[in-house]
Amino acid sequence: MKQITSIQNQLIKDIFQLQEKSKARKKAGLFVIEGIREIEIAIKNDFEIDQLLVCFDLFDADKLNHFKRKLSNSTDLIEISKEVYQKIAYRESTEGIIAVAKTKDHSLENIQLPENPLIVVLESLEKPGNIGAVLRTADAANIDAVFIADPKTDLYNPNIVRSSVGAVFTNKIVTAGSAEIINFLKDNNIAIFSAILQEAVSYYSVDFKQGSAIVMGTEATGLTEIWREHSTENIIIPMQGQIDSMNVSVAAAVLIFEAKRQRNSQTI
């Protein structure tokens, strides 16, 4: 096993850049995963691991054989010092193990969906934590795909990986422009349910059993005009208090699980 004890090592500098800069991730086609559970989920979902870095001051050496059985022969295993680990770790409590993995292609033309799919579309969400939280809910509900329209942050931002608790690896995810996604939805007879306050019906009054895309915008500005123009139906979560909106990840969870409730009632 290789050993790296200097933070001046070029690989360590490169990994630090992958943590810090979207441009570095896109150029290299690589990103960083921290923590045993997240790495295991990534491997299970066919993400290719380039390097696995282990700090034995923090990581139980006996667990390494468990990982070795799951890794390909091309993965480099590297022992790093605690100083190096602390330099490249985004979180302090990630158990002394870090992986560098290859990104996947999330273009629209590669998506495969079942009949009458349930999709969530997130337009221009800026906060990685919100995206990660929606991905976690999407996994919990086992929906068919998450489309990120006009993305403001790259999918492998460390905060998305962290806040999704590995769900960024389990979901089918597409990133594309809004117009491209709208054309795809219409071509595939998928109804567009836009979460908009104006001229909207209650979310529990629409039929989510058909092919459905639940479309969410930012809390600050909502959905842009293109989604308003092409919406099959605008939907709203009725508010009964004094506040007129929810966090987007909470609203998405309410809508997703109503759609799943309707669909599950068909099989009972």
Side-chain angles (χ1 to χ4, degrees), residues 162-174:
R162 176 186 58 79
S163 60
S164 76
V165 198
V168 69
F169 310 128
T170 65
N171 285 286
K172 289 184 178 179
I173 303 174
V174 164

mmCIF file with all atom_site columns, all heavy atoms in Angstrom, residues 162-174:
data_model
loop_
_atom_site.group_PDB
_atom_site.id
_atom_site.type_symbol
_atom_site.label_atom_id
_atom_site.label_alt_id
_atom_site.label_comp_id
_atom_site.label_asym_id
_atom_site.label_entity_id
_atom_site.label_seq_id
_atom_site.pdbx_PDB_ins_code
_atom_site.Cartn_x
_atom_site.Cartn_y
_atom_site.Cartn_z
_atom_site.occupancy
_atom_site.B_iso_or_equiv
_atom_site.pdbx_formal_charge
_atom_site.auth_seq_id
_atom_site.auth_comp_id
_atom_site.auth_asym_id
_atom_site.auth_atom_id
_atom_site.pdbx_PDB_model_num
ATOM 1  N N   . ARG A 1 162 ? -22.828 15.192 1.232   1.00 0.00 ? 162 ARG A N   1
ATOM 2  C CA  . ARG A 1 162 ? -22.991 15.054 2.681   1.00 0.00 ? 162 ARG A CA  1
ATOM 3  C C   . ARG A 1 162 ? -24.463 15.089 3.076   1.00 0.00 ? 162 ARG A C   1
ATOM 4  O O   . ARG A 1 162 ? -24.945 14.215 3.806   1.00 0.00 ? 162 ARG A O   1
ATOM 5  C CB  . ARG A 1 162 ? -22.244 16.181 3.404   1.00 0.00 ? 162 ARG A CB  1
ATOM 6  C CG  . ARG A 1 162 ? -22.425 16.173 4.917   1.00 0.00 ? 162 ARG A CG  1
ATOM 7  C CD  . ARG A 1 162 ? -21.777 17.398 5.557   1.00 0.00 ? 162 ARG A CD  1
ATOM 8  N NE  . ARG A 1 162 ? -22.316 18.642 5.035   1.00 0.00 ? 162 ARG A NE  1
ATOM 9  C CZ  . ARG A 1 162 ? -23.484 19.170 5.419   1.00 0.00 ? 162 ARG A CZ  1
ATOM 10 N NH1 . ARG A 1 162 ? -24.219 18.559 6.324   1.00 0.00 ? 162 ARG A NH1 1
ATOM 11 N NH2 . ARG A 1 162 ? -23.905 20.304 4.906   1.00 0.00 ? 162 ARG A NH2 1
ATOM 12 N N   . SER A 1 163 ? -25.210 16.100 2.616   1.00 0.00 ? 163 SER A N   1
ATOM 13 C CA  . SER A 1 163 ? -26.591 16.271 3.071   1.00 0.00 ? 163 SER A CA  1
ATOM 14 C C   . SER A 1 163 ? -27.527 15.215 2.509   1.00 0.00 ? 163 SER A C   1
ATOM 15 O O   . SER A 1 163 ? -28.576 14.936 3.102   1.00 0.00 ? 163 SER A O   1
ATOM 16 C CB  . SER A 1 163 ? -27.110 17.670 2.709   1.00 0.00 ? 163 SER A CB  1
ATOM 17 O OG  . SER A 1 163 ? -27.070 17.882 1.312   1.00 0.00 ? 163 SER A OG  1
ATOM 18 N N   . SER A 1 164 ? -27.152 14.606 1.388   1.00 0.00 ? 164 SER A N   1
ATOM 19 C CA  . SER A 1 164 ? -27.994 13.540 0.825   1.00 0.00 ? 164 SER A CA  1
ATOM 20 C C   . SER A 1 164 ? -27.770 12.205 1.531   1.00 0.00 ? 164 SER A C   1
ATOM 21 O O   . SER A 1 164 ? -28.520 11.252 1.302   1.00 0.00 ? 164 SER A O   1
ATOM 22 C CB  . SER A 1 164 ? -27.713 13.370 -0.672  1.00 0.00 ? 164 SER A CB  1
ATOM 23 O OG  . SER A 1 164 ? -26.489 12.683 -0.899  1.00 0.00 ? 164 SER A OG  1
ATOM 24 N N   . VAL A 1 165 ? -26.737 12.121 2.368   1.00 0.00 ? 165 VAL A N   1
ATOM 25 C CA  . VAL A 1 165 ? -26.366 10.898 3.089   1.00 0.00 ? 165 VAL A CA  1
ATOM 26 C C   . VAL A 1 165 ? -26.225 9.720  2.112   1.00 0.00 ? 165 VAL A C   1
ATOM 27 O O   . VAL A 1 165 ? -26.665 8.605  2.398   1.00 0.00 ? 165 VAL A O   1
ATOM 28 C CB  . VAL A 1 165 ? -27.385 10.568 4.212   1.00 0.00 ? 165 VAL A CB  1
ATOM 29 C CG1 . VAL A 1 165 ? -26.772 9.589  5.216   1.00 0.00 ? 165 VAL A CG1 1
ATOM 30 C CG2 . VAL A 1 165 ? -27.832 11.812 4.940   1.00 0.00 ? 165 VAL A CG2 1
ATOM 31 N N   . GLY A 1 166 ? -25.648 10.001 0.945   1.00 0.00 ? 166 GLY A N   1
ATOM 32 C CA  . GLY A 1 166 ? -25.434 8.949  -0.042  1.00 0.00 ? 166 GLY A CA  1
ATOM 33 C C   . GLY A 1 166 ? -26.543 8.820  -1.067  1.00 0.00 ? 166 GLY A C   1
ATOM 34 O O   . GLY A 1 166 ? -26.409 8.074  -2.035  1.00 0.00 ? 166 GLY A O   1
ATOM 35 N N   . ALA A 1 167 ? -27.667 9.530  -0.895  1.00 0.00 ? 167 ALA A N   1
ATOM 36 C CA  . ALA A 1 167 ? -28.783 9.414  -1.842  1.00 0.00 ? 167 ALA A CA  1
ATOM 37 C C   . ALA A 1 167 ? -28.443 10.015 -3.203  1.00 0.00 ? 167 ALA A C   1
ATOM 38 O O   . ALA A 1 167 ? -29.114 9.716  -4.197  1.00 0.00 ? 167 ALA A O   1
ATOM 39 C CB  . ALA A 1 167 ? -30.038 10.073 -1.280  1.00 0.00 ? 167 ALA A CB  1
ATOM 40 N N   . VAL A 1 168 ? -27.411 10.813 -3.281  1.00 0.00 ? 168 VAL A N   1
ATOM 41 C CA  . VAL A 1 168 ? -26.952 11.302 -4.580  1.00 0.00 ? 168 VAL A CA  1
ATOM 42 C C   . VAL A 1 168 ? -26.458 10.143 -5.449  1.00 0.00 ? 168 VAL A C   1
ATOM 43 O O   . VAL A 1 168 ? -26.418 10.238 -6.676  1.00 0.00 ? 168 VAL A O   1
ATOM 44 C CB  . VAL A 1 168 ? -25.847 12.371 -4.407  1.00 0.00 ? 168 VAL A CB  1
ATOM 45 C CG1 . VAL A 1 168 ? -24.559 11.761 -3.878  1.00 0.00 ? 168 VAL A CG1 1
ATOM 46 C CG2 . VAL A 1 168 ? -25.591 13.132 -5.701  1.00 0.00 ? 168 VAL A CG2 1
ATOM 47 N N   . PHE A 1 169 ? -26.135 9.013  -4.817  1.00 0.00 ? 169 PHE A N   1
ATOM 48 C CA  . PHE A 1 169 ? -25.669 7.831  -5.553  1.00 0.00 ? 169 PHE A CA  1
ATOM 49 C C   . PHE A 1 169 ? -26.802 6.865  -5.879  1.00 0.00 ? 169 PHE A C   1
ATOM 50 O O   . PHE A 1 169 ? -26.678 6.036  -6.776  1.00 0.00 ? 169 PHE A O   1
ATOM 51 C CB  . PHE A 1 169 ? -24.602 7.089  -4.746  1.00 0.00 ? 169 PHE A CB  1
ATOM 52 C CG  . PHE A 1 169 ? -23.487 7.965  -4.242  1.00 0.00 ? 169 PHE A CG  1
ATOM 53 C CD1 . PHE A 1 169 ? -23.131 7.961  -2.900  1.00 0.00 ? 169 PHE A CD1 1
ATOM 54 C CD2 . PHE A 1 169 ? -22.811 8.812  -5.105  1.00 0.00 ? 169 PHE A CD2 1
ATOM 55 C CE1 . PHE A 1 169 ? -22.112 8.773  -2.428  1.00 0.00 ? 169 PHE A CE1 1
ATOM 56 C CE2 . PHE A 1 169 ? -21.789 9.634  -4.651  1.00 0.00 ? 169 PHE A CE2 1
ATOM 57 C CZ  . PHE A 1 169 ? -21.438 9.615  -3.310  1.00 0.00 ? 169 PHE A CZ  1
ATOM 58 N N   . THR A 1 170 ? -27.901 6.929  -5.139  1.00 0.00 ? 170 THR A N   1
ATOM 59 C CA  . THR A 1 170 ? -28.964 5.935  -5.290  1.00 0.00 ? 170 THR A CA  1
ATOM 60 C C   . THR A 1 170 ? -30.057 6.355  -6.266  1.00 0.00 ? 170 THR A C   1
ATOM 61 O O   . THR A 1 170 ? -30.769 5.506  -6.801  1.00 0.00 ? 170 THR A O   1
ATOM 62 C CB  . THR A 1 170 ? -29.625 5.623  -3.930  1.00 0.00 ? 170 THR A CB  1
ATOM 63 O OG1 . THR A 1 170 ? -30.288 6.802  -3.449  1.00 0.00 ? 170 THR A OG1 1
ATOM 64 C CG2 . THR A 1 170 ? -28.595 5.165  -2.910  1.00 0.00 ? 170 THR A CG2 1
ATOM 65 N N   . ASN A 1 171 ? -30.226 7.651  -6.464  1.00 0.00 ? 171 ASN A N   1
ATOM 66 C CA  . ASN A 1 171 ? -31.281 8.146  -7.351  1.00 0.00 ? 171 ASN A CA  1
ATOM 67 C C   . ASN A 1 171 ? -30.823 8.207  -8.800  1.00 0.00 ? 171 ASN A C   1
ATOM 68 O O   . ASN A 1 171 ? -29.638 8.419  -9.081  1.00 0.00 ? 171 ASN A O   1
ATOM 69 C CB  . ASN A 1 171 ? -31.702 9.564  -6.927  1.00 0.00 ? 171 ASN A CB  1
ATOM 70 C CG  . ASN A 1 171 ? -32.544 9.584  -5.683  1.00 0.00 ? 171 ASN A CG  1
ATOM 71 O OD1 . ASN A 1 171 ? -33.717 9.224  -5.700  1.00 0.00 ? 171 ASN A OD1 1
ATOM 72 N ND2 . ASN A 1 171 ? -31.956 10.012 -4.571  1.00 0.00 ? 171 ASN A ND2 1
ATOM 73 N N   . LYS A 1 172 ? -31.767 8.032  -9.714  1.00 0.00 ? 172 LYS A N   1
ATOM 74 C CA  . LYS A 1 172 ? -31.522 8.402  -11.107 1.00 0.00 ? 172 LYS A CA  1
ATOM 75 C C   . LYS A 1 172 ? -31.635 9.917  -11.193 1.00 0.00 ? 172 LYS A C   1
ATOM 76 O O   . LYS A 1 172 ? -32.673 10.482 -10.835 1.00 0.00 ? 172 LYS A O   1
ATOM 77 C CB  . LYS A 1 172 ? -32.549 7.757  -12.034 1.00 0.00 ? 172 LYS A CB  1
ATOM 78 C CG  . LYS A 1 172 ? -32.401 6.254  -12.206 1.00 0.00 ? 172 LYS A CG  1
ATOM 79 C CD  . LYS A 1 172 ? -33.420 5.744  -13.216 1.00 0.00 ? 172 LYS A CD  1
ATOM 80 C CE  . LYS A 1 172 ? -33.266 4.244  -13.436 1.00 0.00 ? 172 LYS A CE  1
ATOM 81 N NZ  . LYS A 1 172 ? -34.279 3.733  -14.407 1.00 0.00 ? 172 LYS A NZ  1
ATOM 82 N N   . ILE A 1 173 ? -30.571 10.571 -11.650 1.00 0.00 ? 173 ILE A N   1
ATOM 83 C CA  . ILE A 1 173 ? -30.535 12.034 -11.657 1.00 0.00 ? 173 ILE A CA  1
ATOM 84 C C   . ILE A 1 173 ? -30.178 12.535 -13.053 1.00 0.00 ? 173 ILE A C   1
ATOM 85 O O   . ILE A 1 173 ? -29.256 12.014 -13.694 1.00 0.00 ? 173 ILE A O   1
ATOM 86 C CB  . ILE A 1 173 ? -29.514 12.570 -10.636 1.00 0.00 ? 173 ILE A CB  1
ATOM 87 C CG1 . ILE A 1 173 ? -29.847 12.047 -9.222  1.00 0.00 ? 173 ILE A CG1 1
ATOM 88 C CG2 . ILE A 1 173 ? -29.499 14.092 -10.637 1.00 0.00 ? 173 ILE A CG2 1
ATOM 89 C CD1 . ILE A 1 173 ? -28.821 12.391 -8.169  1.00 0.00 ? 173 ILE A CD1 1
ATOM 90 N N   . VAL A 1 174 ? -30.910 13.548 -13.488 1.00 0.00 ? 174 VAL A N   1
ATOM 91 C CA  . VAL A 1 174 ? -30.652 14.211 -14.767 1.00 0.00 ? 174 VAL A CA  1
ATOM 92 C C   . VAL A 1 174 ? -30.364 15.677 -14.489 1.00 0.00 ? 174 VAL A C   1
ATOM 93 O O   . VAL A 1 174 ? -31.013 16.298 -13.645 1.00 0.00 ? 174 VAL A O   1
ATOM 94 C CB  . VAL A 1 174 ? -31.879 14.091 -15.697 1.00 0.00 ? 174 VAL A CB  1
ATOM 95 C CG1 . VAL A 1 174 ? -31.795 15.082 -16.849 1.00 0.00 ? 174 VAL A CG1 1
ATOM 96 C CG2 . VAL A 1 174 ? -32.023 12.675 -16.232 1.00 0.00 ? 174 VAL A CG2 1
#
